[in-house]
């Protein structure tokens, strides 16, 4: 853990506070520590099968065992990160970020960043095929799956300018929306595209983890259980930026059968 202390601060100091404690903290155990092997075996039973290739497994740093949060230092070179930022800047498609499941007014308060979805059209116009392929190839190398494995969403590049943030939220959709759409996000893959010295940490308040952005560093976690229900323990936020922050995020999902009527 010491070798990435500048990038990650782990604060195992949360407390259970009697009647104020959320139901899920009473019923779902949080396990900060464990081995990577045990964590991956547990994920296969409760969330999603994750089988990293041998050449990257040794690079994985387990920040939290259950729910699993994995850090991958030096996943991308700075040059590639800068190229993806240039694609987002040049696309002309950066807009106020959206948030699912809330009104536009609520979304503007919850999430103040700007973002652009890297659609196939943008990919072609800016010659970004290699970068997008690498994102999905990295997911495959991490053992989560690529374009031919399950269902993915187009990558989304996000920019946080000074003071911008994303308040505490879930990446997984609520159960009512899952039943309606028949789709749920199983894995979140974040790639930090620049160094951020001040502000902008990815914070998991219930796990006591802050991840400070470092260029080329990846973060992987799993926002939903195998049955499609949210793992609410993975609630997280993007703390207000002081220095400008750029990330790209990709979600791996699955189809969830609708309930019989």
């Amino acid at each position: 853990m010491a070798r990435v202390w500048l990038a990650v601060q782990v604060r195992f100091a949360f407390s259970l506070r009697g009647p104020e404690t959320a139901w899920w903290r009473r019923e779902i155990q949080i396990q900060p520590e464990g081995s990577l092997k045990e964590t991956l075996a547990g994920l296969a039973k409760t969330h999603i099968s994750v089988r990293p290739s041998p050449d990257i497994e040794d690079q994985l740093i387990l920040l939290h065992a259950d729910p699993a949060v994995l850090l991958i230092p030096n996943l991308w070179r700075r040059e590639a990160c800068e190229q993806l930022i240039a694609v987002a800047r040049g696309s002309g498609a950066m807009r106020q970020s959206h948030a699912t499941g809330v009104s536009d007014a609520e979304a503007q308060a919850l999430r103040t960043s700007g973002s652009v979805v890297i659609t196939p059209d943008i990919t072609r116009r800016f010659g970004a095929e290699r970068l997008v392929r690498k994102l999905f190839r990295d997911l495959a190398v991490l053992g989560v799956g690529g374009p031919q494995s399950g269902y993915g969403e187009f990558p989304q590049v996000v920019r946080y300018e000074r003071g911008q943030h994303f308040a505490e939220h879930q990446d997984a959709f609520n159960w009512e929306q899952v039943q309606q759409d028949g789709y749920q996000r199983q894995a979140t893959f974040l790639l930090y595209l620049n160094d951020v010295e001040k502000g902008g940490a990815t914070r998991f308040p219930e796990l006591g983890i802050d991840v400070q952005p470092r260029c080329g560093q990846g973060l992987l976690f799993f926002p939903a259980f195998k049955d499609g229900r949210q793992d609410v323990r993975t609630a997280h936020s993007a703390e207000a930026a002081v220095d400008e922050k750029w990330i790209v995020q990709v979600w791996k999902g699955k189809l969830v059968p609708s309930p019989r009527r």
Side-chain angles (χ1 to χ4, degrees):
M1 188 66 69
R3 57 179 167 156
V4 291
W5 181 249
L6 289 178
V8 182
Q9 296 181 21
V10 183
R11 310 182 320 276
F12 298 131
F14 48 77
S15 61
L16 303 180
R17 297 176 295 180
E20 294 183 3
T21 300
W23 66 268
W24 58 267
R25 295 191 68 176
R26 296 193 299 269
E27 297 182 11
I28 303 178
Q29 183 180 5
I30 290 176
Q31 180 61 43
E33 299 178 355
S35 72
L36 180 61
K37 182 178 180 180
E38 292 170 339
T39 296
L40 296 181
L43 272 173
K45 294 177 181 179
T46 60
H47 290 71
I48 181 177
S49 178
V50 178
R51 298 178 179 177
S53 62
D55 60 336
I56 201 168
E57 186 169 350
D58 289 342
Q59 301 177 41
L60 297 179
I61 297 173
L62 185 63
L63 300 184
H64 202 277
D66 185 19
V69 182
L70 302 170
L71 183 76
I72 314 99
N74 304 315
L75 187 61
W76 275 37
R77 294 185 177 181
R78 186 174 299 273
E79 179 184 8
C81 293
E82 292 173 349
Q83 288 173 353
L84 191 53
I85 291 174
V87 170
R89 285 189 190 275
S91 69
M94 293 287 296
R95 299 289 185 271
Q96 163 73 40
S97 298
H98 296 290
T100 58
V102 297
S103 67
D104 289 344
E106 291 173 320
Q108 290 179 10
L110 178 70
R111 188 180 188 188
T112 59
S113 59
S115 59
V116 56
V117 176
I118 307 299
T119 62
D121 176 62
I122 290 176
T123 300
R124 286 191 298 268
R125 284 195 291 122
F126 290 87
E129 293 90 346
R130 180 180 60 83
L131 297 173
V132 172
R133 282 198 303 269
K134 178 169 171 51
L135 279 172
F136 286 106
R137 187 169 63 247
D138 287 342
L139 270 176
V141 169
L142 287 166
V144 180
Q148 305 305 319
S149 175
Y151 294 81
E153 301 174 41
F154 296 135
Q156 183 182 97
V157 176
V158 185
R159 176 184 63 195
Y160 293 87
E161 298 180 288
R162 187 180 182 90
Q164 293 184 334
H165 68 278
F166 194 169
E168 186 176 337
H169 64 282
Q170 302 285 343
D171 276 5
F173 303 114
N174 64 55
W175 185 236
E176 291 75 18
Q177 186 172 349
V178 171
Q179 291 180 305
Q180 178 179 328
D181 298 340
Y183 172 80
Q184 181 59 292
R185 290 170 173 168
Q186 289 184 293
T188 295
F189 174 49
L190 302 181
L191 179 71
Y192 300 100
L193 299 177
N194 70 319
D195 293 324
V196 180
E197 297 300 330
K198 296 180 181 179
T202 303
R203 172 168 293 176
F204 295 83
E206 299 300 338
L207 307 183
I209 296 174
D210 286 352
V211 180
Q212 194 65 32
R214 292 290 179 263
C215 183
Q217 178 173 273
L219 189 70
L220 182 64
F221 59 95
F222 309 91
F225 291 104
K226 185 175 288 188
D227 64 3
R229 297 181 186 274
Q230 290 178 333
D231 186 344
V232 293
R233 300 172 299 173
T234 63
H236 58 287
S237 64
E239 296 300 289
V242 177
D243 298 331
E244 186 179 50
K245 169 186 172 183
W246 287 86
I247 67 168
V248 59
Q249 49 199 23
V250 185
W251 291 282
K252 164 74 165 51
K254 66 176 290 187
L255 296 181
V256 178
S258 299
R260 294 181 180 178
R261 299 190 183 280

